Amino acid sequence: MRETMRPMQVTDLDMVMAIEAVAYSHPWTRGNFVDSLAAGNQTWLRLDADGHCIGYCVAMPGFEEMHLLNITVAPHAQRRGHARAMLQAVCQACRAQRHDTLWLEVRQSNDGARQLYGQFGFETVGLRRDYSPAGPGQREDAVVMRLGIPRRPHALV
């Protein structure tokens, strides 16, 4: 068996929260994930060959666009292509739902993620000042990035 993706469910949140707690200094709350699931956002788990959760992502569809809200790989599984595989899954969902743009914000200090997004084809289009919590009484800017999702031409039948 190899790595797989499947939709996230409320029953998965203990696994998700365990990764969120070790991956971030300011993790999402369980309520953030519950709200995302209840809102009908696109949510996926990345599972390793043994069926253990090693990553997840949450994306919010909009009018002809999608916004990537959270993409996380467990620290022990990083730099092995899992984030790229999840990005590809989000792009496939964009195409299937006819969204032509994928948006995200990333901490300005997250050089690894920004490099991955750039290699994937995202372009930097702006900066959100004081967007992310960074410590007691501190905030960090976030870089706004955009990826155009080309629509595949329909085959004539």
Side-chain angles (χ1 to χ4, degrees), residues 27-130:
W28 273 26
T29 66
R30 179 178 289 270
N32 293 134
F33 287 101
V34 169
D35 290 348
S36 287
L37 290 165
N41 290 338
Q42 306 285 303
T43 60
W44 296 273
L45 292 183
R46 177 86 169 155
L47 306 173
D48 68 12
D50 296 321
H52 299 112
C53 181
I54 53 173
Y56 47 87
C57 57
V58 177
M60 179 177 63
F63 179 71
E64 296 183 355
E65 66 182 18
M66 192 167 300
H67 192 127
L68 185 61
L69 302 176
N70 187 326
I71 183 167
T72 304
V73 176
H76 75 273
Q78 290 177 357
R79 308 225 183 278
R80 296 184 191 159
H82 299 299
R84 183 174 295 279
M86 287 190 286
L87 284 170
Q88 288 170 341
V90 174
C91 289
Q92 288 173 351
C94 285
R95 277 189 205 92
Q97 297 169 34
R98 299 197 180 274
H99 299 306
D100 58 15
T101 307
L102 179 59
W103 296 91
L104 62 81
E105 290 91 11
V106 59
R107 287 179 182 271
Q108 193 169 24
S109 64
N110 192 341
D111 294 329
R114 289 176 57 198
Q115 182 179 5
L116 170 67
Y117 298 141
Q119 291 170 352
F120 202 83
F122 282 85
E123 62 179 327
T124 298
V125 295
L127 191 70
R128 295 197 195 277
R129 299 255 180 236
D130 298 329

Side-chain angles (χ1 to χ4, degrees), residues 8-25:
M8 183 190 301
Q9 302 170 1
V10 172
T11 56
D12 298 317
L13 291 184
D14 286 343
M15 293 184 299
V16 168
M17 293 309 300
I19 293 171
E20 190 77 4
V22 297
Y24 297 111
S25 61

